[in-house]
Amino acid sequence: MKSSLPMQTSSLKNELEGEYLEKIRKDFPILQQSVHGKPLVYLDNSATTQKPKTVIEALKSFYEVYNANVHRGIHTLSEKATERFEHTRQQVHTFLNSTNEKEIVFTRGATEAINLVAQTYGRQVLQPGDEILLSAMEHHSNIVPWRLLAEEKKALIRVIPMDLQGELDLNAYEKLLSPRTRLVAITHVSNVLGTVNPIEQIIQLAHRQNIPVLVDGAQAVAHRLVNVQSLDCDFYVFSGHKMFGPTGVGVLYAKESILKNMPPYQGGGEMIVTVSFDHITYKSHPYRFEAGTPAIAEVIALSEAITYIQKIGFSSIQEHENRLLDYSTQALLKIPNLKIIGTAKEKEAVLSMTLGDIHPHDIGTILDEEGVAVRAGHHCAQPVMDFFDIPATARASFAFYNTQEEIDRLIKALWKVLEVLG
Amino acid sequence: MSDLRDLYQELILDHQKNPRNFGELPDANHHANGFNPLCGDKISLDFNTDENGLIHDIRFHGSGCAISKASASMMTMALKGKTIPEADALFQVFHHLVLGNLVTEEQIEHLGRLKVFQGIRDYPSRVKCASLPWHTFKAALNHNSKTITTDSDNDSVN
């Protein structure tokens, strides 16, 4: 089933409000339900986003109509599956504005994409005493793969510090870039603080010293336009499920000049040209990095997620989410003892909070009872929690389908927390 | 539908706000640390036994949510004066209670005030909050010096 949303043009922008927003919300079946007898308010979009009908239908239709393996069958179903699968690669290439579709590798998610870079490129270039530069606000998925590699290679992890607003210290960053730095791996948008990092500047500074940069875009691609050529990043990774697509699929973009020289990641079918017991030749990129049968249905359905985002358009999304961020920030600050963790000037609609000495898990439980879904915990970013000296936060994170009324429900539920535990 | 008041009962809120046996026990002969990586709850538990094998004094400190704090506080009250086999039996019944396993009325009665945690079985994501202090107690009993965590399933702690 195709969505009937009008295609956005530069002259016509659809404001995400009123009937139009209602119509969009109806495209997401999961949003229509009640939790504990109250209409669901889903504010855990940084963890995963909900899926429009077109994505769900694409998964279903693959299995009902043309389920087949890709790149090998000489039969109609396989040819169709292959064509749709490669169509998504083409679409991701356009979505990111990469140079060509061979720069797009499908992975299980952003995590696997980072691990892929660490285990191929990283392992190839890293020597004992070399350094990898991360930031203080990284998700565990952009720490642990580098830590594993650093231990193996006797290399060092260096960390770009941040301030109490949750903004990176770029002066310190410049000083940390050294002749031993082999890679900068940094998040585009913080999953806890919402900070949008100045990655253009970060990339430029690294490139002055010929240091490549990997950008973790897991929290960015659903919210802002990413143009890998104008950013000039060397690697960009993201997950499908955080941009209204299925779980189990992610993307690694890598500059072709780098990708073509990277050794294989996992071995298996699909990534080889010839195999004997004593000699193997590998396919060229991107197939060299896609061993085994991939998540075919999920890759195909990812195409629908991208189409959906493009139909709404990033300028509408940005405008709406900024409005939600402003509205919720103002409203939250009226709650006694509520503290927002992450107050950077450039922020996505992510609100991490603490409420006096009430533990975030208690907040999460009571909010859930009110039908409001937020994340409570360390958000896979324990170093960020340590930096702010807190065990956890409660986090509300927004997507384009959220409304001001839902923020009102969040605020009401937080007052209920105070009533029960305050 | 579960009711929030089944989880956050007055008794639990009271123990959260005014935890009993809170602090350290310098002359403890049993000690363990517990950690819930999911939410960052930390508990440190000390106790000592007298010449008759009874739990003479028991204290805890750390940081955590309302449920884990109240559970720790009420556990220390329940365990004080118990023999080790009695304490172990209480651990077993409590564990089954919060997991929603079958426990007899008689066993529930045996728990006394601890039965206030019965409501937690309707909140699967919170079971570990209530059981962390008890697992920490078990570790202290077994002189397990490694910090125990709740990162496996609800039945075991590694």
Side-chain angles (χ1 to χ4, degrees), chain A residues 36-38 357-359 361-366 369-370 375-378 382 391-392 416 419-422, chain B residues 1-5 7-8 13 16-17 35-41 63-67 123 125-126 129:
Chain A
H36 297 299
K38 289 150 192 149
D357 54 9
I358 300 174
H359 195 282
H361 263 202
D362 293 316
I363 299 175
T365 296
I366 297 172
E369 209 66 29
E370 296 299 308
R375 170 87 190 261
H378 54 57
Q382 286 178 12
K416 173 92 182 204
E419 188 190 312
V420 177
L421 293 174
Chain B
M1 195 181 86
S2 52
D3 183 353
L4 211 51
R5 290 284 167 193
L7 183 64
Y8 295 107
L13 295 178
Q16 181 237 337
K17 281 174 194 146
F35 178 57
N36 183 347
L38 197 66
C39 55
D41 283 2
S63 63
C65 65
I67 304 298
Y123 298 85
S125 59
R126 305 304 301 276
C129 309

Side-chain angles (χ1 to χ4, degrees), chain A residues 115-132:
Chain A
N115 277 278
L116 192 163
V117 176
Q119 291 303 318
T120 59
Y121 179 80
R123 194 180 266 180
Q124 195 175 38
V125 302
L126 220 58
Q127 298 295 323
D130 281 348
E131 297 171 2
I132 298 166

Side-chain angles (χ1 to χ4, degrees), chain B residues 66-121:
Chain B
I67 304 298
S68 75
K69 235 161 142 185
S71 176
S73 170
M74 291 178 67
M75 176 186 78
T76 59
M77 285 184 75
L79 292 179
K80 213 182 249 192
K82 294 274 193 302
T83 65
I84 298 304
E86 282 170 348
D88 201 37
L90 213 50
F91 168 85
Q92 298 297 341
V93 181
F94 183 83
H95 200 206
H96 286 304
L97 179 87
V98 295
L99 284 176
N101 296 342
L102 273 182
V103 273
T104 63
E105 283 302 316
E106 194 190 339
Q107 285 173 315
I108 291 183
E109 281 317 306
H110 189 64
L111 282 173
R113 301 173 131 209
L114 292 173
K115 67 180 179 218
V116 58
F117 287 99
Q118 195 166 8
I120 209 160
R121 61 188 176 190

Side-chain angles (χ1 to χ4, degrees), chain A residues 156-215:
Chain A
L156 301 161
I157 303 285
R158 298 269 185 240
V159 183
I160 310 163
M162 65 176 162
D163 63 20
L164 288 167
Q165 276 70 54
E167 291 182 355
L168 291 178
D169 180 343
L170 290 186
N171 290 326
Y173 166 61
E174 251 190 289
K175 290 191 191 106
L176 280 163
L177 288 167
S178 86
R180 296 310 303 259
T181 312
R182 289 289 162 269
L183 182 78
V184 176
I186 188 152
T187 192
H188 195 164
V189 175
S190 160
N191 70 315
V192 180
L193 309 166
T195 311
V196 181
N197 284 318
I199 53 168
E200 297 85 344
Q201 206 181 339
I202 286 168
I203 293 163
Q204 273 171 23
L205 288 167
H207 282 182
R208 260 187 226 165
Q209 303 188 40
N210 294 318
I211 300 164
V213 179
L214 176 142
V215 180

